[in-house]
């Protein structure tokens, strides 16, 4: 299924630069910390995160009394820009809202890589439009970025070998 054929009302693309879409079109999430928070939540979708943990991650050098206020301000701006359907927020925790209408390129990429079949690998290669969020320089993203890059290169190698074995040398060269 091509990305432009996806009919889900909420889409997040994390390969290349961060792109967010809702039913009304593209959304612009302003601020490095807002984008980092969303990226972190998307990369850890089945977890409920403590506010203190997220705040310390986003502002590691800020004074403790300021960190929680920074996070509250960030969440207020985030929810003003995004719809309330994106996050579950309470007094102590934050999580990505489990929503059947949310499609994320990296989630599909991970599923396709895990399938390890030719069709899945071809689609995964199509999805990989660049490194995972290259505009985010936080240390927590480096391992995920390198993992996806390695998986992409392995998929290219597998597809090249597959097409070469079938005598499709032109296709093998493309991969």
């Amino acid at each position: 299924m091509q990305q432009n054929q996806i009919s889900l009302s909420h889409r997040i693309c994390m390969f290349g630069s961060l792109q967010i879409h809702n039913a009304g079109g593209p959304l612009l999430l302003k601020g490095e910390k807002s984008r980092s928070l969303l990226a972190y939540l998307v990369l850890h979708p089945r977890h409920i995160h403590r506010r203190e943990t997220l705040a310390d991650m986003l502002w590691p050098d800020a004074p403790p009394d300021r960190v929680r206020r920074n996070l509250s301000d960030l969440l207020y701006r985030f929810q003003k820009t995004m719809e309330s359907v994106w996050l579950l927020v309470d007094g102590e925790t934050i999580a990505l809202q489990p929503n059947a209408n949310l499609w994320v390129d990296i989630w599909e990429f991970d599923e396709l890589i895990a399938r390890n079949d030719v069709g899945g690998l071809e689609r995964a290669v199509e999805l990989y439009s660049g490194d995972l969020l290259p505009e985010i320089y936080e240390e927590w993203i480096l391992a995920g970025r390198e993992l996806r890059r390695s998986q992409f290169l392995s998929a290219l190698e597998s597809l090249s070998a597959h097409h070469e074995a079938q005598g499709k040398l032109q296709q093998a060269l493309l991969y």
Side-chain angles (χ1 to χ4, degrees):
M1 178 180 293
Q2 296 294 327
Q3 181 178 336
N4 58 1
Q5 294 172 332
I6 296 168
S7 62
L8 301 176
S9 61
H10 299 91
R11 292 182 292 130
I12 300 173
C13 298
M14 295 179 57
F15 287 118
S17 62
L18 181 64
Q19 298 175 32
I20 307 162
H21 301 269
N22 69 6
L27 293 174
L28 178 60
L29 187 58
K30 295 180 184 177
E32 177 184 329
K33 298 297 184 190
S34 294
R35 291 188 297 274
S36 289
L37 175 62
L38 178 62
Y40 188 84
L41 294 173
V42 167
L43 288 172
H44 304 92
R46 293 170 185 82
H47 295 85
I48 296 173
H49 306 277
R50 298 200 46 78
R51 282 179 177 250
E52 289 81 15
T53 304
L54 292 173
D56 289 340
M57 178 194 70
L58 291 169
W59 295 279
D61 299 325
D65 59 326
R66 188 67 199 145
V67 170
R68 191 162 174 103
R69 183 69 197 154
N70 287 348
L71 183 61
S72 293
D73 292 346
L74 175 69
L75 287 171
Y76 173 76
R77 289 190 311 273
F78 185 95
Q79 290 180 313
K80 217 170 141 182
T81 301
M82 312 292 279
E83 301 164 18
S84 61
V85 298
W86 294 89
L87 295 181
L88 289 172
V89 178
D90 69 22
E92 296 301 317
T93 62
I94 302 168
L96 188 66
Q97 175 78 277
N99 187 329
N101 288 327
L102 178 61
W103 178 86
V104 179
D105 61 352
I106 194 166
W107 295 351
E108 184 168 339
F109 178 86
D110 289 347
E111 287 179 22
L112 293 167
I113 290 293
R115 277 186 14 203
N116 198 28
D117 61 46
V118 172
L121 293 177
E122 287 174 341
R123 177 68 182 127
V125 166
E126 286 177 24
L127 284 173
Y128 192 94
S129 59
D131 280 343
L132 174 67
L133 300 170
E135 72 273 18
I136 296 179
Y137 303 106
E138 313 284 339
E139 192 163 320
W140 57 262
I141 200 166
L142 298 178
R145 184 179 293 150
E146 187 55 38
L147 172 66
R148 277 29 175 250
R149 182 184 303 131
S150 295
Q151 290 172 323
F152 170 70
L153 293 173
S154 292
L156 290 174
E157 289 174 4
S158 295
L159 290 169
S160 180
H162 169 79
H163 289 295
E164 183 179 2
Q166 292 198 332
K168 299 177 182 176
L169 299 181
Q170 185 71 22
Q171 192 68 20
L173 283 174
L174 289 174
Y175 288 109

